[in-house]
């Protein structure tokens, strides 16, 4: 390797090592399922809850299951950004704190997002293929949401 290329390579290596020091707080809540979780507020059948837990809770709850590579920067930064944004928009653990109006609007939004295949994010399903929703799973969630909408009409 000529010296010039070697120095550039070492420079990148040094930057890569240095950014590893930046490790933001992780989204982990070691407690049990909180009393404000959607499953404590609504009747959520097991098949629906398991899909939500597996495919949505990593970004839409207070507990993320972090794969080993999520600790490697700059990946860490992007992952944490998605979690923060996802949680702000919708947090299944905080459903009990949502107003009636907010719940109705989020239920509508869930149907919209999964029917349009916008959720879970493709950047996520590419790395976790098992979280991709099948047609059947989408249908089951949509049917459950419709039931919740009728049961919770004011
Ligand atoms: C990898 C992280 C991630 C996963 C997994 C994920 N989401 Fe999201 N979700 C986001 C982010 C980030 C946003 C904010 C909007 C955007 O960037 O598209 C969002 C937005 C949403 C919204 C819009 C909320 C609003 O206010 O209208 C809904 C609904 C939603 N997600 C539902 C789901 C459902 C249901 C699943 C599981 C089937 C899921 N998401 C899985 C990250 C995620």
């Amino acid at each position: 390797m000529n010296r010039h290329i070697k120095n550039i390579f070492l420079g990148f290596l040094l930057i890569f090592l240095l950014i590893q020091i930046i490790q933001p707080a992780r989204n982990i809540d070691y407690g049990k399922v909180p009393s404000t979780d959607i499953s404590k507020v609504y009747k959520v059948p097991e098949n629906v809850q398991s899909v939500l837990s597996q495919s949505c809770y990593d970004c839409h709850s207070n507990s993320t299951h972090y794969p080993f590579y999520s600790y490697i920067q700059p990946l860490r930064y992007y992952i944490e950004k998605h979690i923060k944004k996802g949680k702000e928009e919708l947090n299944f653990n905080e459903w009990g704190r949502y107003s009636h109006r907010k719940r109705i609007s989020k239920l509508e939004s869930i149907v919209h997002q999964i029917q349009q295949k916008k959720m879970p994010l493709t950047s996520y399903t590419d790395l976790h293929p098992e979280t991709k929703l099948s047609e059947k799973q989408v249908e089951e969630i949509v049917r459950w949401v419709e039931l919740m909408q009728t049961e919770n009409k004011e």
Side-chain angles (χ1 to χ4, degrees), residues 140-152:
E140 283 170 351
I141 297 178
V142 170
R143 240 183 289 134
W144 168 73
V145 167
E146 283 167 357
L147 188 66
M148 290 306 104
Q149 284 168 330
T150 7
E151 278 183 9
N152 293 284

Side-chain angles (χ1 to χ4, degrees), residues 116-134:
Q116 306 271 314
K117 301 199 187 310
K118 288 187 179 155
M119 286 290 149
L121 296 177
T122 32
S123 59
Y124 177 78
T125 51
D126 285 349
L127 290 168
H128 307 270
E130 75 282 3
T131 64
K132 218 170 163 170
L133 303 191
S134 67

Side-chain angles (χ1 to χ4, degrees), residues 28-111:
I28 296 182
D29 176 3
Y30 292 99
K32 291 187 298 204
V33 179
S35 60
T36 47
D37 186 68
I38 191 159
S39 63
K40 306 272 169 135
V41 185
Y42 289 168
K43 251 200 218 102
V44 188
E46 215 173 295
N47 59 330
V48 171
Q49 186 61 47
S50 70
V51 174
L52 297 181
S53 300
Q54 169 164 289
S55 300
C56 317
Y57 272 47
D58 269 354
C59 301
H60 293 292
S61 84
N62 297 326
S63 285
T64 303
H65 292 106
Y66 288 94
F68 75 90
Y69 53 77
S70 69
Y71 296 96
I72 302 164
Q73 289 288 16
L75 213 59
R76 185 60 198 276
Y77 171 76
Y78 289 104
I79 290 171
E80 226 44 73
K81 218 166 72 173
H82 277 155
I83 295 170
K84 188 165 173 278
K85 187 97 195 295
K87 253 173 77 167
E88 270 168 18
E89 302 257 338
L90 169 68
N91 189 336
F92 287 111
N93 282 165
E94 306 277 338
W95 194 267
R97 285 189 240 281
Y98 287 179
S99 66
H100 177 73
R101 226 178 124 159
K102 189 165 175 177
R103 290 179 188 178
I104 295 300
S105 114
K106 295 295 167 190
L107 285 175
E108 252 171 47
S109 182
I110 289 169
V111 168

